[in-house]
Amino acid sequence: MTELLSNYLGGRWQAGSGAGATLSDPVLGDALVRVDATGLDLAAGFAFAREQGGAALRAMTYRERAAMLAAIVKILQTNRDAYYEIATANSGTVHNDSAVDIDGGIFTLGTYAKLGDALGERRYLIDGDAARLGKDPLFQSQHVLVPTRGVALLINAFNFPSWGLWEKAAPALLAGVPVIVKPATATAWLTQRMVRDVVDAGVLPPGALSVVCGSAAGLLDQLQPFDVVSFTGSAQTAALIRSHAAVTQRSVRVNIEADSVNSALLLPGEAAGSEAFDLLAKEAAREMTVKSGQKCTAIRRIFVPEALYGAAADAIGARLARVTVGNPRHEAVRMGALVSRAQLASVREGLGYLQAQAEVLHDGATHALVDADPAVACCVGPTLLGARDAHAADRVHDTEVFGPVATLVPYRDNADALALVRRGQGSLVASLYGSDADALAKAAVELADSHGRVHVISPDVAQLHTGHGNVMPQSLHGGPGRAGGGEELGGLRALNFYHRRSAVQASTSVLAQL
Ligand code: NAP
């Protein structure tokens, strides 16, 4: 029997009383550990976090909470090697892909530690200037932002067990709000281990950080009016959360990060082989293969002028052909596994669905697996599809295949390109490639209404840009419409979700005391 991981709730480690779900190695097929949350006293655990954790955090200043985040960074850095081992075993990722999750999470925490330190010795925030409410300037209104008096329930997706935890927990803890994290079952081990290390180090007040591994059953029932829930995952689960009584009747604030059919667009006027063209080809191939395409921000649709369809297919295909796929422990391997057999089946099914409206330009099946048994390993080569009839191929604009799959789409002119990008109905990110600064700026503003982020790559930033799919804590993450309508990160903007805004109307002498 494999080890059963404990849950940390109510200020103590508690094992579930059921048999649990087994987490496995997606390359070797070995059973690794089990998780289970059966029989936990959730009501007591949530109350402990809300009352003990919340009170302790609110008593601290932003600077003190920022120092706490910096202390977490140190603990995680000390244990980094263990996290990489867990990621290799449980997520089947090569070192560079594990880094996106592990070091990405640590970097995000570090960024919030710095931002929080600059907020100084305050316990709440002043929002804007005071405004006169009448003729006499004595009576005015001042908005304040105070930490919400509840818990932040974080429900995360399987693809980022580290970053997904810390990109949400950092602003929550900095805001003074205790966190209960529920990682996706398939990869819960890394989240649980990180929480264990932080709890063992004793750098957080009791109740500030809890972890529940296993089924989500009953978690939402615990939520009370001042709690918040931050969810990352599929649109189907998001719909369940949105319709729960906690949200519909108790006004629990909810943030949703769901799936997204992100775009890359080569602007008109760029020749095949130009710098902008090459930057698009490079980024498209990279985005398709980083974390085996299991990134919510990954490029799914690649738009090029009609005349460049063939050249783009060749350029991206040539890059994909060089990608070695298989066991991440093998030094020649550049792309590891999908997370599970279920995901492998889902990617194959999605590919078949898209292929009814698209041709295969580079076939993932041509990649022989390195040091991995195809009957066991959840590995799949990268596939580039092409939809010559961009308008008729509605599946391409509607379907997120969560793996190393993207579709090349030709467009007629600028207006056609923008209209096709918008058929994604709201995405996390679009990236633009070109050399005309004016045209790039215009396209960026055009697409800003349907994208949380527009990533613009011109030759001058070829070596500097942070990558289409990399979520930087300084910039907004989230997108309108089918992307879930959420907003995360964006520097200190992230703190808004965990604060309550209130208008204090009073004499200027009272307001001066704030
Ligand atoms: P999922 O199946 O929706 O699961 C997400 C989380 O919800 C898991 O922790 C899951 O727990 C939990 N859950 C399942 N049923 C629930 C319920 N009834 N009530 C409350 N929680 C419940 O999604 P996934 O397959 O893990 O993630 C893949 C999807 O996430 C992709 O579509 C991807 O695009 C999206 N994603 C979006 C972002 C973003 O930032 N926008 C980032 C990463 C991923 P169990 O694992 O125990 O079922």
Side-chain angles (χ1 to χ4, degrees):
M1 217 36 169
T2 52
E3 180 194 351
L4 177 65
L5 300 181
S6 237
N7 305 286
Y8 189 71
L9 191 66
R12 62 194 174 91
W13 290 102
Q14 310 184 39
S17 57
T22 301
L23 278 56
S24 52
D25 184 320
V27 179
L28 307 176
D30 301 338
L32 298 170
V33 291
R34 285 173 301 130
V35 294
D36 183 53
T38 314
L40 300 183
D41 186 347
L42 296 177
F46 274 64
F48 184 86
R50 218 177 265 124
E51 286 154 26
Q52 308 272 328
L57 287 169
R58 286 194 304 275
M60 299 165 79
T61 64
Y62 290 96
R63 180 159 288 158
E64 286 167 338
R65 293 181 215 135
M68 198 176 68
L69 299 187
I72 298 177
V73 167
K74 284 207 179 114
I75 294 152
L76 299 182
Q77 274 166 344
T78 309
N79 295 288
R80 228 168 128 255
D81 291 350
Y83 306 148
Y84 273 87
E85 278 172 31
I86 293 173
T88 306
N90 192 194
S91 292
T93 37
V94 294
H95 191 275
N96 283 352
D97 290 353
S98 302
V100 178
D101 186 32
I102 296 167
D103 293 323
I106 297 174
F107 174 73
T108 302
L109 264 168
T111 302
Y112 278 95
K114 284 196 200 95
L115 289 170
D117 188 64
L119 294 176
E121 306 295 348
R122 301 193 58 90
R123 291 185 176 78
Y124 59 91
L125 299 171
I126 299 292
D127 177 27
D129 296 328
R132 271 163 68 158
L133 294 172
K135 267 195 187 149
D136 192 320
L138 189 63
F139 191 63
Q140 298 209 9
S141 172
Q142 172 66 60
H143 289 89
V144 293
L145 287 162
V146 296
T148 192
R149 239 168 222 266
V151 296
L153 172 63
L154 316 182
I155 301 179
N156 282 340
F158 67 78
N159 56 338
F160 283 110
S162 163
W163 177 81
L165 162 62
W166 298 118
E167 61 109 14
K168 291 181 165 96
L173 293 171
L174 180 58
V177 179
V179 164
I180 297 176
V181 60
K182 150 52 191 134
T185 296
T187 57
W189 192 9
L190 180 55
T191 305
Q192 195 269 1
R193 174 60 196 265
M194 287 179 145
V195 172
R196 196 184 92 187
D197 290 341
V198 172
V199 167
D200 286 353
V203 293
L204 292 179
L209 180 62
S210 311
V211 62
V212 176
C213 305
S215 161
L219 286 177
L220 295 167
D221 300 333
Q222 303 307 322
L223 295 175
Q224 295 184 4
F226 303 129
D227 296 335
V228 301
V229 56
S230 183
F231 170 80
T232 299
S234 64
Q236 293 94 310
T237 313
L240 287 177
I241 292 175
R242 277 206 178 94
S243 58
H244 191 276
V247 179
T248 58
Q249 288 168 31
R250 300 196 285 282
S251 304
V252 165
R253 190 183 277 171
V254 57
N255 191 77
I256 304 280
E257 299 289 345
D259 58 9
S260 170
V261 193
N262 311 294
S263 310
L265 166 61
L266 178 67
L267 261 57
E270 303 295 335
S274 65
E275 263 185 286
F277 176 93
D278 288 345
L279 286 165
L280 168 101
K282 184 177 175 193
E283 194 66 1
R286 207 174 66 84
E287 278 293 310
M288 287 174 68
T289 52
V290 171
K291 282 184 73 71
S292 303
Q294 298 169 111
K295 257 164 64 248
C296 51
T297 50
I299 296 171
R300 306 292 178 199
R301 297 176 297 154
I302 306 156
F303 294 93
V304 294
E306 274 169 346
L308 299 184
Y309 180 79
D314 291 345
I316 300 167
R319 286 179 179 274
L320 294 177
R322 295 200 290 268
V323 175
T324 41
V325 185
N327 189 341
R329 298 162 185 88
H330 193 287
E331 61 176 21
V333 168
R334 291 289 160 271
M335 188 171 98
L338 297 172
V339 77
S340 63
R341 292 303 284 189
Q343 282 302 309
L344 180 64
S346 160
V347 166
R348 286 188 174 143
E349 189 191 339
L351 257 175
Y353 184 72
L354 290 182
Q355 267 173 259
Q357 296 182 345
E359 60 182 329
V360 176
L361 299 174
H362 175 85
D363 189 353
T366 58
H367 292 251
L369 301 191
V370 178
D371 193 22
D373 177 356
V376 177
C378 310
C379 298
V380 60
T383 294
L384 179 67
L385 300 174
R388 281 183 193 271
D389 189 346
H391 289 269
D394 54 314
R395 293 182 178 186
V396 166
H397 305 291
D398 292 344
T399 313
E400 179 204 52
V401 178
F402 210 56
V405 179
T407 306
L408 188 65
V409 185
Y411 68 81
R412 287 191 300 272
D413 53 30
N414 197 48
D416 188 40
L418 298 179
L420 287 166
V421 169
R422 287 201 187 92
R423 282 187 58 180
Q425 299 200 30
S427 298
L428 295 170
V429 52
S431 54
L432 309 178
Y433 304 78
S435 51
D436 177 342
D438 184 48
L440 285 166
K442 283 200 174 91
V445 175
E446 276 283 335
L447 292 175
D449 57 9
S450 49
H451 294 81
R453 182 161 60 85
V454 184
H455 181 74
V456 184
I457 307 186
S458 45
D460 54 333
V461 295
Q463 305 300 323
L464 310 173
H465 75 86
T466 46
H468 164 106
N470 281 348
V471 176
M472 303 299 289
Q474 299 88 341
S475 296
L476 190 74
H477 174 59
R482 75 166 283 167
E487 284 197 357
E488 288 180 341
L489 301 172
L492 288 173
R493 288 173 190 82
L495 270 59
N496 281 338
F497 183 69
Y498 302 99
H499 282 80
R500 294 281 158 185
R501 182 177 284 110
S502 181
V504 181
Q505 300 177 324
S507 140
T508 48
S509 62
V510 173
L511 296 181
Q513 303 305 310
L514 296 175

